[in-house]
Amino acid sequence: LIARFLSQKKTGLCVLLIILIHLAIRLWGFSGIHDPDEILYSEAASQLRAGQYVGQNHYSVRYVVLVPLALTQMLFGINEYTCIVTPMLYSLACLGLIYLIGKVYADQNVGLIAAALWAIYPLDIIQATELHLDVPLTMFSGLCVYALIRGDISREACDEYSALKQKRYAEA
């Protein structure tokens, strides 16, 4: 019992360390707004927040980016850093999903290694500091994969239960 508690504590510390490294690398790699897309997203989110929302272009219908961006603008104001909060949170969610997928496929150690590799993955480092649909799309794709894996495991358990139930019924 004590060994399991210490193991869980070490795992928690490893996860926390990976999250801190993940965030530190992305904040270190942030160099400001460079793409006009980010400005258009920010403008659409400002209009949404002000209640003057009129879809003028295709950026204004990307609610996966706009709604969280409008919330961060409402909480922290409009600046460069509020533009990266949304992709950073999506990237952090990807990190958690990768850990869970690795844990489900193999074990906790594989999940930690997968999360550590994602924390230093160069493409995500770049994408997590830019306001685009790439990181939300990656996160929702990962969520679908995780749900599929969990559903498959659940189905296998359900099939085993049904087989056991039929066997007991046949014996009775």
Side-chain angles (χ1 to χ4, degrees):
L1 183 66
I2 294 173
R4 189 182 341 160
F5 174 74
L6 291 176
S7 175
Q8 289 175 349
K9 193 172 183 180
K10 287 180 186 176
T11 300
L13 289 173
C14 286
V15 169
L16 181 64
L17 182 65
I18 289 170
I19 289 171
L20 291 175
I21 289 170
H22 177 268
L23 292 174
I25 290 173
R26 279 144 186 82
L27 288 173
W28 175 74
F30 178 63
S31 61
I33 294 177
H34 301 290
D35 195 5
D37 292 359
E38 296 169 334
I39 296 168
L40 292 171
Y41 279 125
S42 184
E43 183 179 304
S46 296
Q47 290 174 353
L48 179 65
R49 193 173 41 83
Q52 304 166 348
Y53 183 69
V54 177
Q56 297 173 352
N57 53 33
H58 62 282
Y59 297 103
S60 53
V61 294
R62 295 178 176 171
Y63 302 111
V64 174
V65 174
L66 280 183
V67 172
L69 181 60
L71 287 173
T72 56
Q73 284 180 350
M74 187 172 58
L75 293 173
F76 305 114
I78 301 173
N79 58 44
E80 290 181 331
Y81 294 101
T82 55
C83 285
I84 65 164
V85 170
T86 299
M88 290 278 246
L89 290 175
Y90 280 122
S91 178
L92 195 58
C94 287
L95 181 77
L97 284 169
I98 287 171
Y99 168 73
L100 291 173
I101 290 170
K103 186 177 173 184
V104 168
Y105 260 134
D107 63 4
Q108 205 161 3
N109 293 332
V110 171
L112 287 172
I113 291 168
L117 289 173
W118 185 261
I120 59 171
Y121 181 50
L123 185 60
D124 188 65
I125 293 170
I126 294 167
Q127 293 295 324
T129 58
E130 296 176 352
L131 193 57
H132 297 290
L133 280 179
D134 299 330
V135 179
L137 180 63
T138 303
M139 192 275 305
F140 284 113
S141 298
L143 186 61
C144 288
V145 169
Y146 180 68
L148 182 68
I149 293 168
R150 293 295 301 194
D152 191 41
I153 291 170
S154 176
R155 187 192 62 177
E156 289 172 4
C158 192
D159 290 346
E160 290 173 13
Y161 176 73
S162 295
L164 182 64
K165 190 175 175 182
Q166 288 175 357
K167 183 180 176 184
R168 286 188 181 166
Y169 181 72
E171 290 174 354

